[in-house]
Each structure stands twice: as C-alpha cells, then as structure tokens.
Amino acid sequence: MGKLVIVGTVAFDAIETPFGKTDKILGGAATFIGLAASQFQVDSAIVSVVGEDFPQEYLDLLSNRNIDISALEVVKGGKTFFWKGKYHNDLNSRDTLATELNVLADFNPVVPSAYKNAEVVMLGNLHPNIQMSVIDQMEKRPKLIVLDTMNFWMDNTLEELMEVIKRIDVLTINDEEARQLTGEYSLVKAAQKIFKMGPKYVVIKKGEHGALLFHEEQVFFAPALPLEDVFDPTGAGDTFAGGFSGYLAASDNISFDNLKKAVIHGSNLASFSVEKFGTERMLNLDRDDINSRLHQFKALTQFEIELQ
Ligand code: AMP
C-alpha cells in the first residue's frame, strides 16, 4: 500500500447553483481530495487547519474513511477557511463571492513523521508557501509531486506559486487558469509553456468537456461522462486530483500509460462528485457504482476502425 500526503483547504462552503443554495457545508480542496483518494488502497494523511467552529462530526467523517488527520490542526478560538461561490447557468463558470482565509492565514503545516517518506504528495489548492513547506519537509524526493491551484493564488501570490511549480512533476489546472498562467489561448501552447516552468506532465481540466494529459510530445484525452444530473460542480477538480493521485499512490507506477489510467480514475470519481451538493455524493459511493461507471467510460471511448 502506497502513502499519500495531501495538503489543501478543509473548509466551509456556501454554494449557489441554478438548482439551489446551501449554507455553510463541508468543503475544501483537501476534503474532496481525501474522500476521492480513500477509494484506493492507500494510506493517506491530510495536512491542513480548521478553526474551533469545525464540527467533530466532519472530522470523524474523514477519519472513518481511514484518512490520517493527526496533522489537521484545530486552532482554539479560530475560524475555519470559508469560501462562497455562485455558478452561472451553464455551470462551467462561477463567481467567487467570498474567500475568508481565517486560520489559514497563519498556518504552519507539519507533515507527520510516518509520512515523510510518502511516494506521492498531492499539493491541493491553498497558499503556495504552505505547499512549499510540505515539499521541504519530505525526507527524500517523493516519486511524484502533483500540484493543483486556482486563479486566487495566481492573482495574489504568483511569485511564490512559480517557485513551487519549479519543483513539481504534475500540474493539474483548469483551462481558464492554464490560459491565465501562460498567456496562451491554445491549450497545447499553454502546456508547452508550463513544461518550461518545471513540470513534466500537465493535466488541463475542461469541466464537462473532459481532461487533457500532456507529456513531451504526447497527448491523451479523457472525456467527461455525459451525465443526466449535474447539481454542483464544486470540488470536481479536487476530486479529480484525489482520484488521480490516490490511484497513482496505490499502484506505485508512474509510467505515462499508468498516468492515463489515473486520469480516467480521476474523471470517473469527479463525475459522481457533481451529482449532489458538496461532498454528499462522495460520502455515499460504493465499489459497484465506481466500477459500473468505469465500464461506461470504456464503452464511451472505445471504437474499432479500419486504417488503410
Ligand atoms: P474546485 O471546485 O475543485 O475548484 O474546488 C472548490 C473547493 O476549493 C471548495 O470546496 C473551496 O472550499 C475550495 N477553495 C475555494 N477557493 C480556494 C482557495 N483560494 N484556496 C484553496 N481552496 C479554495
């Protein structure tokens, strides 16, 4: 069984979509990553921070899924990171209405000693200085360091973010953010520019239009499953990242062919995440659900053709 270190926000989210509205519910990049990764045979630990307002019930929900939360600090008297977002009618774009860092503003991450030799590190969305500190604490270079980020950190901490990007293997990013980071409209050119920043692999997520994996001259495309019900896309990117990194940590194989499979596992899990608000669907997911969708993925993309 491989080991996976996960860093990212553990948060309260308030979400508005064309189908409804929620008050503060469980969210955060590390939460979605952890829940997705827990679907694989992997020992994972979340390095993050919450405030005293964070319910014990939510902490239990993570530890019940075998996620080590000993490095999930609870700050006495502190308030948990809060994010509020509103989706447009097409659900492909959203406006951030509030980002309150709260306890995240002065967080010093500590990687548990049993995880300092983890094979895979998943640097989820949060301040790049925290992502950097996690890399620095690893005893030996992990086999794979994956980073996910978003426009908020590009807007506010670009220099620090670029330093972290230099040290990673895989960048997962959505199409608009890839364009913002590189100034290129073409995603092929954007990926090439990102290679020059450090990573050997780039995954560009395109929401309901699937994901592209770039490596040197090679490109692999995974569609998103056409779904009957899309309720709330929040956390889809993180769920993708959790499935991607969880699968790779469990299989301990970082060949390009296996990264392709990781993209499929990530896309598969993300397809569930969007069916209900917040983490609800990820908390009620079983092996049969997952396997039957993997079959659908295969059927959707497989075809025979006679080549002359
Ligand atoms: P995604 O939909 O995959 O981009 O992720 C949404 C999740 O990211 C929500 O659960 C938020 O709590 C969290 N989030 C939103 N903004 C930030 C931010 N600036 N840094 C870290 N996490 C964030």
Side-chain angles (χ1 to χ4, degrees):
M1 186 138 57
K3 282 188 200 167
L4 173 69
V5 172
I6 299 165
V7 60
T9 42
V10 174
F12 286 133
D13 289 348
I15 303 160
E16 198 174 329
T17 80
F19 310 110
K21 228 174 147 162
T22 67
D23 227 348
K24 289 186 170 179
I25 57 170
L26 173 64
T31 307
F32 285 103
I33 294 170
L35 292 177
S38 71
Q39 295 294 342
F40 300 93
Q41 295 291 315
V42 62
D43 283 325
S44 60
I46 288 183
V47 180
S48 190
V49 65
V50 289
E52 206 177 345
D53 54 355
F54 197 73
Q56 182 64 38
E57 173 202 339
Y58 288 171
L59 294 172
D60 293 344
L61 193 147
L62 295 170
S63 50
N64 288 343
R65 278 168 181 77
N66 224 5
I67 302 168
D68 184 329
I69 55 164
S70 59
L72 175 51
E73 191 188 331
V74 181
V75 177
K76 271 223 146 73
K79 274 179 76 182
T80 300
F81 175 90
F82 172 65
W83 177 76
K84 186 173 183 182
K86 182 176 176 180
Y87 287 85
H88 301 162
N89 276 345
D90 67 355
L91 290 181
N92 270 334
S93 52
R94 69 184 178 203
D95 295 324
T96 288
L97 304 179
T99 303
E100 293 173 13
L101 297 181
N102 298 328
V103 288
L104 193 72
D106 320 290
F107 175 50
N108 281 317
V110 179
V111 177
S113 42
Y115 279 85
K116 289 189 172 175
N117 60 356
E119 291 83 7
V120 180
V121 173
M122 179 65 235
L123 302 171
N125 198 8
L126 87 183
H127 197 300
N129 286 352
I130 300 175
Q131 297 175 320
M132 187 67 111
S133 164
V134 167
I135 301 180
D136 286 336
Q137 289 176 55
M138 299 306 287
E139 260 158 22
K140 57 175 192 184
R141 174 68 165 79
K143 286 190 180 157
L144 203 72
I145 304 179
V146 185
L147 181 142
D148 188 56
T149 190
M150 70 187 252
N151 50 0
F152 181 87
W153 302 109
M154 290 180 209
D155 294 338
N156 296 302
T157 54
L158 185 61
E159 244 176 72
E160 294 94 323
L161 179 63
M162 294 307 285
E163 286 305 308
V164 187
I165 289 179
K166 272 187 200 162
R167 295 182 61 188
I168 62 164
D169 303 296
V170 188
L171 179 68
T172 71
I173 193 167
N174 76 28
D175 43 2
E176 278 319 304
E177 290 156 358
R179 291 183 175 119
Q180 178 176 346
L181 185 66
T182 61
E184 292 289 349
Y185 184 81
S186 150
L187 296 179
V188 175
K189 285 189 183 154
Q192 283 161 356
K193 267 203 178 163
I194 294 169
F195 290 150
K196 294 203 178 99
M197 298 171 185
K200 297 186 284 294
Y201 300 93
V202 179
V203 178
I204 300 185
K205 299 166 287 178
K206 290 156 56 75
E208 65 172 329
H209 305 298
L212 291 159
L213 167 68
F214 294 90
H215 174 56
E216 295 171 349
E217 300 301 313
Q218 307 178 80
V219 193
F220 172 70
F221 172 67
L225 273 188
L227 295 172
E228 233 171 276
D229 296 307
V230 178
F231 221 68
D232 169 22
T234 307
D238 307 309
T239 303
F240 174 91
F244 180 85
S245 56
Y247 169 77
L248 289 170
S251 58
D252 197 20
N253 169 353
I254 53 164
S255 65
F256 184 64
D257 267 348
N258 209 42
L259 262 75
K260 289 189 201 173
K261 290 183 194 162
V263 170
I264 298 292
H265 282 291
S267 305
N268 192 40
L269 290 174
S271 79
F272 290 104
S273 179
V274 302
E275 287 181 333
K276 295 262 166 76
F277 265 114
T279 54
E280 196 183 333
R281 187 65 178 101
M282 294 309 288
L283 294 170
N284 294 293
L285 195 57
D286 63 32
R287 265 282 122 213
D288 285 346
D289 295 331
I290 294 174
N291 287 340
S292 91
R293 265 207 197 159
L294 282 173
H295 280 107
Q296 287 179 43
F297 255 101
K298 220 172 160 186
L300 182 70
T301 51
Q302 219 168 32
F303 59 89
E304 298 296 327
I305 192 166
E306 302 267 328
L307 293 177
Q308 308 293 338

Short mmCIF file of all heavy atoms in Angstrom, two decimals, residues 6-7 35 52 130 164 184 191 215 228 232 242-243 254 288:
data_model
loop_
_atom_site.label_atom_id
_atom_site.label_comp_id
_atom_site.label_asym_id
_atom_site.label_seq_id
_atom_site.Cartn_x
_atom_site.Cartn_y
_atom_site.Cartn_z
N ILE A 6 -1.55 14.67 1.58
CA ILE A 6 -2.49 15.60 0.95
C ILE A 6 -2.44 16.92 1.71
O ILE A 6 -2.60 16.95 2.93
CB ILE A 6 -3.94 15.06 1.05
CG1 ILE A 6 -4.07 13.72 0.33
CG2 ILE A 6 -4.94 16.08 0.52
CD1 ILE A 6 -5.35 12.95 0.67
N VAL A 7 -2.22 18.00 0.98
CA VAL A 7 -2.34 19.30 1.63
C VAL A 7 -3.38 20.09 0.84
O VAL A 7 -3.56 19.88 -0.36
CB VAL A 7 -0.96 20.02 1.72
CG1 VAL A 7 -0.35 20.24 0.39
CG2 VAL A 7 -1.07 21.33 2.47
N LEU A 35 -11.38 12.33 0.22
CA LEU A 35 -12.51 11.42 0.01
C LEU A 35 -12.32 10.61 -1.28
O LEU A 35 -12.61 9.41 -1.33
CB LEU A 35 -13.83 12.19 -0.04
CG LEU A 35 -14.25 12.84 1.29
CD1 LEU A 35 -15.54 13.64 1.10
CD2 LEU A 35 -14.45 11.79 2.39
N GLU A 52 -12.02 26.30 15.63
CA GLU A 52 -12.77 25.61 16.68
C GLU A 52 -14.24 25.41 16.27
O GLU A 52 -14.95 24.60 16.84
CB GLU A 52 -12.68 26.43 17.96
CG GLU A 52 -12.84 25.63 19.21
CD GLU A 52 -12.69 26.48 20.45
OE1 GLU A 52 -12.19 27.62 20.38
OE2 GLU A 52 -13.11 25.99 21.52
N ILE A 130 2.63 27.30 1.84
CA ILE A 130 2.30 26.09 2.61
C ILE A 130 2.64 24.86 1.77
O ILE A 130 3.21 23.88 2.26
CB ILE A 130 0.81 26.11 3.03
CG1 ILE A 130 0.53 27.33 3.91
CG2 ILE A 130 0.45 24.82 3.77
CD1 ILE A 130 -0.93 27.53 4.28
N VAL A 164 7.05 27.11 -6.45
CA VAL A 164 6.59 25.74 -6.17
C VAL A 164 6.48 24.96 -7.48
O VAL A 164 6.88 23.79 -7.56
CB VAL A 164 5.22 25.73 -5.43
CG1 VAL A 164 4.87 24.31 -5.00
CG2 VAL A 164 5.25 26.63 -4.22
N GLU A 184 -1.37 32.07 -23.01
CA GLU A 184 -1.62 31.41 -24.30
C GLU A 184 -3.07 30.98 -24.39
O GLU A 184 -3.60 30.37 -23.45
CB GLU A 184 -0.74 30.15 -24.43
CG GLU A 184 0.73 30.42 -24.56
CD GLU A 184 1.12 31.04 -25.90
OE1 GLU A 184 0.27 31.06 -26.82
OE2 GLU A 184 2.26 31.50 -26.01
N ALA A 191 0.39 24.20 -22.43
CA ALA A 191 1.07 23.05 -21.81
C ALA A 191 2.58 23.12 -22.07
O ALA A 191 3.39 22.88 -21.17
CB ALA A 191 0.49 21.75 -22.35
N HIS A 215 2.44 15.20 -22.06
CA HIS A 215 3.78 14.81 -21.62
C HIS A 215 4.68 14.81 -22.85
O HIS A 215 4.42 14.08 -23.81
CB HIS A 215 3.73 13.41 -21.00
CG HIS A 215 5.08 12.86 -20.66
ND1 HIS A 215 5.98 13.52 -19.83
CD2 HIS A 215 5.70 11.70 -21.02
CE1 HIS A 215 7.07 12.80 -19.71
NE2 HIS A 215 6.94 11.70 -20.42
N GLU A 228 -26.74 12.74 -16.56
CA GLU A 228 -28.13 13.19 -16.53
C GLU A 228 -28.30 14.33 -15.52
O GLU A 228 -28.99 15.31 -15.77
CB GLU A 228 -29.00 12.01 -16.10
CG GLU A 228 -30.13 11.74 -17.05
CD GLU A 228 -30.81 10.46 -16.69
OE1 GLU A 228 -30.31 9.40 -17.13
OE2 GLU A 228 -31.82 10.51 -15.96
N ASP A 232 -23.92 20.35 -8.73
CA ASP A 232 -22.97 21.29 -8.12
C ASP A 232 -21.54 20.88 -8.47
O ASP A 232 -21.06 19.88 -7.96
CB ASP A 232 -23.18 21.26 -6.60
CG ASP A 232 -22.08 22.00 -5.87
OD1 ASP A 232 -21.42 22.86 -6.48
OD2 ASP A 232 -21.86 21.71 -4.67
N GLY A 242 -7.76 13.96 -6.40
CA GLY A 242 -7.70 12.89 -5.39
C GLY A 242 -7.73 11.52 -6.05
O GLY A 242 -7.01 10.61 -5.63
N GLY A 243 -8.56 11.37 -7.07
CA GLY A 243 -8.62 10.09 -7.78
C GLY A 243 -7.32 9.83 -8.52
O GLY A 243 -6.77 8.72 -8.49
N ILE A 254 4.54 5.12 -12.14
CA ILE A 254 4.31 6.47 -12.68
C ILE A 254 4.70 6.55 -14.16
O ILE A 254 5.17 7.58 -14.64
CB ILE A 254 5.02 7.56 -11.84
CG1 ILE A 254 6.51 7.23 -11.66
CG2 ILE A 254 4.35 7.73 -10.49
CD1 ILE A 254 7.32 8.42 -11.20
N ASP A 288 -19.45 -0.80 -6.54
CA ASP A 288 -20.26 -1.14 -7.71
C ASP A 288 -20.55 0.10 -8.55
O ASP A 288 -20.48 0.07 -9.78
CB ASP A 288 -21.60 -1.77 -7.29
CG ASP A 288 -21.39 -3.20 -6.84
OD1 ASP A 288 -20.29 -3.74 -7.10
OD2 ASP A 288 -22.31 -3.75 -6.20
#
